[in-house]
Amino acid sequence: MKNIAKTICAALLTLTGFGLTSCDSFLQEYSQDLAKVNSWEDLDEVLLGAAYLHTGRFYDSGNSYEITDRDSHFDILHFMSDELYITDDTHMLQEYYEDMFPFFTWQQDTGVDNQLKYVGNDESYFNAPYSRINVCNMVISLIDEQPAPNPEDEIEKRRVKGEAYFLRALYYFFLTNLYAEPYDPATASSTKGMPLKFSEIIEDKEFERSTLAETYQKVIEDLKEAEQLLEGTTRKSIYRADRNTVRLLLSRVYLYMQDWDNAIAKAREVLAEKDALLNIGSKAIGDDCLDGSSPEVLFSMGDYLIAFYFRDDRYNSASLQISNDLLALYDKDDYRTDRYIGTTKNRGTNIFRKINGQYDAVGKYTTVGSVFTFRTPEAYLTLAEASAYKGDEATSRTYLEKFLSTRKSGSVSVEESGENLIDLIRNERAREFLLEGHRWFDLRRYTVNTVYPWSKEIIHGYPYIASYDYDHTDWYRLEKNDQAYTLPLPRAIRNFQVSLGNANRPSRKAFDVTQVHGPDYSNLGDGDDDDDWDDDDDWDDDDWDW
């Protein structure tokens, strides 16, 4: 049998220049013995251990602080969008917020710290998906040669292979919506996508970026292959992909491509198999409205530790709040108004509590993820959105009303039409998928929508702490249709693979928010306009040339 462990590590290092710290650590972390693969079960373990994202938790270290136990995370999605507000009581999580700083403030280089000095470490958001993509490549290349003594083994081999295709497509789709421009059908064939690697063979070469159209086409091909392979298989839990999960992701990909017909078709297939919705009104205030037992969940991986940063307990005051922009979207007759957002047990307000995240939850592993959870509401809202774009407003209203009947008190009737209907659907996505990883990608794709293009200004205040006390806040603005909706490739990746080029992301400095919004814009301080920009840092504008 093939020795795959070193091959996986070499493939990762060849593509990214980083990948894993060492092959030895890879072997120790993910398997007792990956030196030889003798069965489909071995590859199933590899896929589960090294391709899927794992859940996480906070646990008490015994001195009133918690230790984080988590796999790779993508909290940057929550911080780049308009969902969050960082309070001035951040010293307990200062290191975490410093890591989020270049994303929260849309910096030209996402490897800078909050003093705008280059420190790196942003390559992890690029490497983590690619490392898992390469594991998927290895599984796909080896699965067919594994023995299958009986028909049940053949079915299991198809399942493992189908899951690998799904995960590879998911990670490429995710990377594309971070590091490539939003999909515009008119320009996708000439816009840069992502470097694609589907072979398990080590290739010592300079990689090129495919076009955006090619990247999306490869994602669709993988998902269609996964859908076919997973037919007739049985998954072990919601933490493993199945055919309906694949269909929901396909509907999302088509929606992003503005292929309304295919988005509708796949969303219908999802609901034909599972259309369950949870009546949020049946939940008591303070209950978790989203967990692994929800009838809406089709699939999940990763953790939801972002919820814990809203904690307000005897040791920590809440350092995160839901932004005023998002709060303004919720109505009094909406069950989610006080079940997704509310107060903590002590004194915190505007707190995310769709997943409670309070002190008594410390030590428990989260049961769903904040970025990679797939739920039936997405199929309803995709059908409503795509149908509205096509002019089939009756169908759009039907699916929207069915969904809203589980979110609002009293009878629900949707009367909107035209752009007002589109606005309602977009706002519903913002309300429903609060802190589930959709919002940043939605804001991106709305900018290039061919029917009703839309963008908004977003303002974030980043508080600075000195000697454990609040010092000042610097304010940053994302303009409408800003080029910063596309992340730059991490500098470490560009230096290793210079052929990949980079995005033309603008530089960004702090501004005096009081000049634009008045002195009462926030309670975080005086709108200090000291941008703390060091003109002597080691940034080189030439790095941004394609």
Side-chain angles (χ1 to χ4, degrees), residues 71-186:
D71 195 357
S72 299
H73 70 86
F74 297 97
D75 290 353
I76 57 173
L77 284 187
H78 312 307
F79 281 86
M80 290 188 291
S81 75
D82 58 352
E83 296 172 295
L84 292 180
Y85 172 88
I86 302 178
T87 74
D88 59 359
D89 195 355
T90 65
H91 66 274
M92 298 294 289
L93 295 166
Q94 191 168 356
E95 183 177 350
Y96 173 71
Y97 291 122
E98 287 176 2
D99 289 342
M100 294 297 106
F101 168 81
F103 301 95
F104 188 65
T105 61
W106 313 289
Q107 292 300 312
Q108 185 179 54
D109 187 343
T110 55
V112 300
D113 63 13
N114 63 2
Q115 301 301 314
L116 300 171
K117 294 291 188 180
Y118 178 76
V119 294
N121 299 322
D122 56 327
E123 65 271 10
S124 64
Y125 302 106
F126 185 92
N127 285 340
Y130 267 115
S131 69
R132 289 167 169 81
I133 285 169
N134 277 277
V135 173
C136 293
N137 288 341
M138 304 308 298
V139 170
I140 291 168
S141 72
L142 292 171
I143 189 66
D144 288 343
E145 63 187 62
Q146 305 311 312
N150 54 60
E152 288 76 17
D153 288 311
E154 285 292 352
I155 293 174
E156 290 301 304
K157 284 173 61 176
R158 284 197 294 109
R159 177 186 60 77
V160 172
K161 191 174 184 179
E163 289 181 27
Y165 272 110
F166 164 79
L167 288 171
R168 188 169 74 176
L170 176 60
Y171 290 130
Y172 271 128
F173 180 66
F174 183 80
L175 282 163
T176 302
N177 280 279
L178 284 177
Y179 296 104
E181 293 178 15
Y183 192 99
D184 183 343

Side-chain angles (χ1 to χ4, degrees), residues 202-440:
I202 299 170
E203 299 173 272
D204 187 9
K205 68 176 187 179
E206 289 285 314
F207 282 82
E208 301 289 341
R209 297 178 72 153
S210 67
T211 67
L212 191 57
E214 289 169 342
T215 304
Y216 268 74
Q217 186 56 42
K218 290 296 186 182
V219 167
I220 289 172
E221 289 175 7
D222 270 8
L223 290 175
K224 287 183 175 180
E225 186 71 21
E227 184 180 18
Q228 182 178 356
L229 287 165
L230 291 171
E231 183 176 4
T233 66
T234 302
R235 68 171 174 176
K236 299 176 180 179
S237 72
I238 63 167
Y239 306 109
R240 305 295 284 265
D242 66 355
R243 190 173 61 160
N244 221 26
T245 305
V246 175
R247 288 170 172 166
L248 186 56
L249 182 55
L250 267 170
S251 73
R252 187 187 304 179
V253 174
Y254 286 129
L255 185 69
Y256 283 31
M257 295 174 69
Q258 304 186 56
D259 183 345
W260 316 129
D261 288 332
N262 277 317
I264 289 169
K266 284 301 171 185
R268 286 186 187 276
E269 289 178 17
V270 170
L271 296 182
E273 185 166 328
K274 182 174 182 177
D275 63 355
L277 290 169
L278 172 67
N279 188 330
I280 302 300
S282 68
K283 290 287 188 177
I285 295 175
D287 286 351
D288 286 355
C289 293
L290 175 58
D291 58 27
S293 66
S294 170
E296 298 179 346
V297 175
L298 301 180
F299 165 77
S300 182
M301 66 176 182
D303 67 57
Y304 220 126
L305 295 189
I306 183 70
F308 287 78
Y309 299 130
F310 291 87
R311 287 199 342 272
D312 179 11
D313 56 57
R314 59 196 178 103
Y315 298 122
N316 308 295
S317 295
S319 57
L320 278 184
Q321 293 183 1
I322 299 302
S323 72
N324 289 331
D325 282 6
L326 267 292
L327 284 169
L329 295 179
Y330 291 87
D331 299 323
K332 290 183 178 179
D333 64 347
D334 193 322
Y335 293 130
R336 295 166 297 186
T337 300
D338 52 13
R339 289 163 176 83
Y340 284 11
I341 305 170
T343 60
T344 61
K345 292 178 179 178
N346 294 318
R347 59 191 179 280
T349 59
N350 301 347
I351 301 302
F352 175 75
R353 61 182 186 191
K354 186 194 301 184
I355 289 184
N356 197 355
Q358 297 306 306
Y359 187 69
D360 56 9
V362 170
K364 301 176 183 177
Y365 285 96
T366 56
T367 62
V368 290
S370 69
V371 172
F372 295 108
T373 294
F374 289 54
R375 298 196 288 126
T376 52
E378 182 180 353
Y380 282 93
L381 293 175
T382 292
L383 276 163
E385 184 178 350
S387 297
Y389 289 138
K390 280 175 57 66
D392 185 1
E393 294 188 347
T395 297
S396 178
R397 294 190 193 98
T398 296
Y399 282 99
L400 196 54
E401 286 174 352
K402 185 172 183 180
F403 167 72
L404 288 175
S405 68
T406 65
R407 266 56 184 173
K408 291 195 169 188
S409 60
S411 61
V412 174
S413 179
V414 176
E415 306 293 340
E416 287 83 353
S417 63
E419 190 168 2
N420 290 334
L421 179 59
I422 296 297
D423 288 343
L424 173 60
I425 295 166
R426 289 173 175 174
N427 287 339
E428 272 309 314
R429 288 183 63 90
R431 284 186 280 263
E432 178 58 28
F433 299 126
L434 179 65
L435 291 188
E436 290 188 48
H438 287 270
R439 182 60 172 172
W440 177 250

